[in-house]
Amino acid sequence: MCGSAHWRFARSSTSRPLSCDRDVRTFPDIQVGIHHTARTISVARVSSINRVTIYSMADIRNFSIIAHIDHGKSTLADRLIQHAGLVADRDFREQILDSMDIERERGITIKSQTCTLPYRGPDGHDYVLNLIDTPGHVDFSYEVSRALASCEGVLLLVDAAQGVQAQTLANLYAAMEHDLAIIPVINKIDLAAADIAGTKEEMRVELGIDPSEAILCSAKEGVGIDAIREAIVGRVPPPRGEPSKPLRALIFDASYDAYRGTVVSIRVIDGAVRPGDTIMTMSNGRTFKVEEVGIFQLRRVKRPALSAGEVGYLIANIKTVSDTRIGDTITHDECPASTALHGFKVAKPVVFSSIYPVSSDDYRPLVDAMEKYALNDASLIFEKDSSAALGQGFRCGFLGLLHLEIVQERLEREFDQSIIMTVPSVEYHFTLKDGTALVVDNPAHFPDPMDVATTHEPYIHATILMPERYLGVVMKLCLERRAEGTSFHYPTPGRIELACDMPLAEVLFDFYDRLKSVTQGYGSFDYDLTDYRPGRVVKVDILVNGERVDALSLIVHESQARERALHACERLAEEIPRHQFRIAIQGAIGGKIIARSTIKPFRKDVTAKCYGGDVTRKRKLLEKQKRGKLRMKMVGDVVIPQSAFVSVLKTKEE
Amino acid sequence: MKAREVPPDAGLYVHVPFCRTKCAYCGFCSQTDLSPIDAYAESLAVEARLRAGQTFTTLYVGGGTPTVLPPELLARLLRGPDTPWPLTKDAEVTVEANPDDITTPLLETLRKNGANRLSIGVQSFRDDELRFLGRRHTASQARAAIHLAKDAGFTNIGIDLMYGFRGQRRERWRTTLDEALRWRPAHLSCYQLTIEPNTPLSRRPPSLIRSPEAKEYDFFLFTSRLLTDHGYEHYEVSNFALPGFRARHNALYWHHAPYCGLGPAAHSFDGRTRSWNVRSVEEYVARLSRNAVPMEESETLTDEQLALERVMLGMRTARGVPLSALTRYAGWEVTLERLQAGGFLVCGQDRVTVTLAGLAIADRLPLEFLP
Ligand SMILES: Nc1nc2c(ncn2[C@@H]2O[C@H](COP(=O)(O)OP(=O)(O)OP(=O)(O)O)[C@@H](O)[C@H]2O)c(=O)[nH]1
Ligand code: SF4
Ligand SMILES: [Mg+2]
């Protein structure tokens, strides 16, 4: 299943075969021993208050804040930032590190953010704390894994009301694999529903953490912040590395700035880098002139140099994703390091979908946008694709459905692209009768059923954690989703963990939302890809007024073909606006129609009154509808809105 | 002496922003606090002075409820506050009147001061529906009002009706229509009930207020057929007239002709620029007390926007739009052919007219042509 012939990752210019083991590689170069002694180097530091101080590697602490989604990471980061005096009260806003519009609207962190905090310890000693706030949602776990590679410790937050959740565990394991110091923090103790004793017990049982080490905190009310800062200084070891050795810096993130080009986030392991240096990216031997280095303090703050142990940014004339990649090692061109650092495993996409411009004329701008976007989001993987209905576009791999949604939204908002995304799919493995192996993640490449000898589909091992009372409904849901080998386990009284194997394709079919709704939000879900198992799948085509729309085709399990096809037809009937004529939507396997729905024509669509005072308003509405039309695709006489293309996998809102 | 000039059609609108009580569906600019009426009347005089200049072929006094004004104010407003309004000799002068205000002396005042057309807000001849709408009058008051108006010599009477209430059946609607037809008014406006935002009706679920769309369409066709059978011309989405009695003032809006609106919230259009006054009576009065124009905002339309408005407005009328208005949109032939095949438009020599099915979806038609 590795390095499939069909799927080639656009970013793996190194042609490194795709590894499928999911464990994140450890990072021996920054493993930190307790008896480590850092050599003192002197660097001028311009703090936020424009004070120039001298500090040594021994005074640096690099840490990430990790937790399950919504457990309060960004809010804790706020408090740390405020206590460091980095932001004036009037400029402060909640979750200040969540700087993207989309993060603020959704109230979640999508991209890790770094911030350098000055800190004077109780003994009067000055430290530099490099904080990395990470996302909690499983779809962005690639962000977490890269942040961890730049740290020596983590704050592991647990919501006192929710207790240990799936990503608490997953992120803890990731931190342990990196051998990081772990500071457990129980957050939200101000909540009436906070159960500190229960949370401690869960930490002990489920995480294997000594609960006496946990710091009690209310990020919202600023309780426990001093204790946390003292713990960071006391329990997280300073970075280890050799300031005098040849430069080695790890690129762990990048972002695109319209004025400055690519801004890469680096963690310097050995040596130092300064503006004017000629650097080389070790994966491809390309050289760049460094224009600027500095640290992040809510904005970029220039610095004369970044040295061993430090986290910051670097601007060189790096233009596109082909110039560098995240995980690459930067060294000096003149005196290069002999070995590169371990990079990151390429993100392993599990959901695939194609992106097309709404108007085929916009393909070139989309290419540009994708290249820039890819710099911003290391977990997106893409290659060229084309469709009869939609023209030229890209086949993309995502880490999950939320990731897919975010990519779509960011391409539209930040890169001003008007795009259509096709029905998401997983990767299927076929063996043809002539012995050829075929990997297909795109219904367009579905083989002729007559030629197929065997079919395998990806399976996951799912664990669902929920209050006991939901067991019945969740079991039912899982069985509907072809779950196998179900087992239970009671981590704490009243809570139950259901484990089972399930085809990944079933997760795409709106599993999260269904689970959330049947457990009234109390169920949490986590999964690991396990293996490929035999499964008979068929391709369902969708015909709109008799015309096959290739971008709407879906691959489904034979036993569910009729039901899913009907569902797709019904959803499309809801999404496609009514026209003046009747529209037939049909689902077909081969030439055989297995499901249909119709969209009734509208008959009445006119406001009763239109007098002098109504004209402007009505015209503005028309102008708005006209813009909306740009987001629709004409297929024959039928206008299909963008949203219809992914809707076929969504269950109805209740 | 100069040769007699034929002035281009242009309308004058005067907005009276007062009502005794607010109807449940009302989204118009009107208030129930009647205390600033005098200040309003003074301000209107100032605005008329500030914006004098043009000759008008129609005058329309609307609201709100113009008939809440004391007779002498209403008279002044009809004649023109300081000097007579610059109206052409054959100008259409309409006043909106509420049945509960209509008395013989009032009608005399109106006639004496030049009103030659009356638009009566009957809405329904059924008391339960009138109550649902929060109207102030009863069905019998409506009947009496029409009777008085006819007696007073008004020949050009328009009656406003509403339909499409939830649960309303065709027979019920028909009783109202039949009764209206018995009076044989020159003009009938039949409005589908619309839920305006921020009105008492909007706070209830729409399904409890309006009939479903399929029924709306049915009512729309039914109304049109019944009234055209009785000799009315269905010349705009909601408007019907006996030959020769189309509402000249309102038609100006649909024909994209210029109009000047005085009073709070009134809109004006000079053929290129549209502007509108502040909505609040207080602000209106305050501005004019400083001799400042009470304009809230204005917009100057691009050629593209002018063209779009012409299509948008034209598609609401049976006479449609000149073919040349559509040819500017890429792919118009295909669209036109499709809409003609669907039975929505009819393409003649140089005009595209709108069928009944087309009027029913008039809001969609321009959108179909937009690329
Ligand atoms: N009562 C209370 N609420 C808190 C506390 N800390 C965070 N919250 C609230 O919890 C919600 C989530 O907080 P965030 O800081 O965005 O959580 P996060 O962990 O960064 O979330 P992701 O980045 O999306 O994983 C917000 O509504 C916060 O106001 C706390 O100590 N007490
Ligand atoms: S009379 Fe007319 S303007 Fe006054 S409240 Fe009723 S609907 Fe509104
Ligand atoms: Mg966050």
Side-chain angles (χ1 to χ4, degrees), chain A residues 517-547:
Chain A
S517 104
V518 301
T519 61
Q520 293 161 318
Y522 285 102
S524 72
F525 169 72
D526 193 24
Y527 68 87
D528 283 300
L529 278 178
T530 48
D531 52 358
Y532 272 70
R533 298 187 192 175
R536 296 181 60 86
V537 294
V538 292
K539 178 171 110 164
V540 173
D541 287 321
I542 301 289
L543 290 77
V544 174
N545 265 0
E547 216 174 303

Side-chain angles (χ1 to χ4, degrees), chain B residues 111-323:
Chain B
R111 277 192 64 86
K112 267 209 304 260
N113 290 286
N116 53 28
R117 187 170 181 272
L118 206 58
S119 171
I120 307 178
V122 171
Q123 316 310 350
S124 169
F125 285 108
R126 303 193 62 107
D127 284 332
D128 54 344
E129 290 177 355
L130 289 168
R131 270 195 305 276
F132 171 82
L133 292 173
R135 296 289 299 180
R136 293 179 289 279
H137 66 272
T138 59
S140 60
Q141 276 175 304
R143 288 179 198 111
I146 303 171
H147 195 82
L148 290 178
K150 290 222 149 192
D151 275 0
F154 277 96
T155 48
N156 194 351
I157 295 178
I159 290 182
D160 285 3
L161 299 175
M162 274 188 160
Y163 67 99
F165 312 104
R166 190 214 134 184
Q168 187 185 35
R169 291 200 315 205
R170 207 203 260 186
E171 298 75 66
R172 276 176 137 255
W173 168 226
R174 181 160 189 153
T175 56
T176 285
L177 274 177
D178 281 345
E179 179 149 7
L181 283 170
R182 271 203 290 283
W183 297 101
R184 203 149 179 83
H187 194 274
L188 269 166
S189 298
C190 299
Y191 297 113
Q192 181 98 47
L193 176 62
T194 310
I195 306 173
E196 298 291 336
N198 307 317
T199 58
L201 281 196
S202 70
R203 287 186 271 286
R204 285 188 257 161
S207 58
L208 292 185
I209 311 267
R210 278 175 66 159
S211 39
E213 189 203 284
K215 225 168 157 189
E216 282 186 355
Y217 180 63
D218 182 51
F219 274 46
F220 183 73
L221 296 191
F222 169 74
T223 308
S224 178
R225 293 201 179 122
L226 184 77
L227 296 183
T228 44
D229 282 352
H230 281 80
Y232 288 83
E233 295 165 346
H234 188 179
Y235 71 104
E236 195 262 358
V237 172
S238 306
N239 287 286
F240 301 83
L242 290 176
F245 285 100
R246 294 186 182 196
R248 279 164 56 199
H249 181 84
N250 285 341
L252 295 178
Y253 300 131
W254 307 322
H255 298 165
H256 221 221
Y259 48 91
C260 172
L262 304 180
H267 284 231
S268 302
F269 179 57
D270 67 3
R272 169 64 72 178
T273 301
R274 188 169 294 107
S275 60
W276 49 95
N277 283 348
V278 293
R279 265 184 92 88
S280 127
V281 176
E282 201 181 337
E283 174 74 12
Y284 177 78
V285 169
R287 292 260 196 118
L288 286 160
S289 69
R290 303 192 300 263
N291 275 330
V293 283
M295 189 173 83
E296 160 110 52
E297 226 181 298
S298 79
E299 55 169 7
T300 298
L301 305 181
T302 62
D303 288 344
E304 184 70 35
Q305 289 175 316
L306 284 171
L308 180 60
E309 285 192 355
R310 268 181 225 127
V311 174
M312 173 184 99
L313 296 166
M315 293 292 189
R316 291 183 62 91
T317 63
R319 70 171 203 163
V321 295
L323 185 59

Side-chain angles (χ1 to χ4, degrees), chain A residues 578 605 608 610-611 619 629, chain B residues 191 213 238 309 360 364 370:
Chain A
R578 288 189 298 160
D605 185 5
C610 181
Y611 297 114
R619 190 200 70 244
K629 231 178 137 175
Chain B
Y191 297 113
E213 189 203 284
S238 306
E309 285 192 355
R364 300 291 311 180
L370 294 176

Side-chain angles (χ1 to χ4, degrees), chain A residues 409-459:
Chain A
E409 211 173 312
R410 288 188 63 193
L411 278 170
E412 295 196 329
R413 292 166 58 161
E414 293 167 36
F415 296 86
D416 210 19
Q417 299 297 304
S418 193
I419 56 169
I420 284 172
M421 295 192 88
T422 62
V423 182
S425 169
V426 300
E427 221 172 44
Y428 295 94
H429 292 178
F430 295 98
T431 320
L432 302 186
K433 286 180 179 149
D434 65 3
T436 328
L438 191 64
V439 178
V440 171
D441 62 50
N442 186 342
H445 304 140
F446 198 85
D448 184 338
M450 299 300 288
D451 298 339
V452 175
T454 65
T455 309
H456 287 77
E457 62 175 323
Y459 266 68

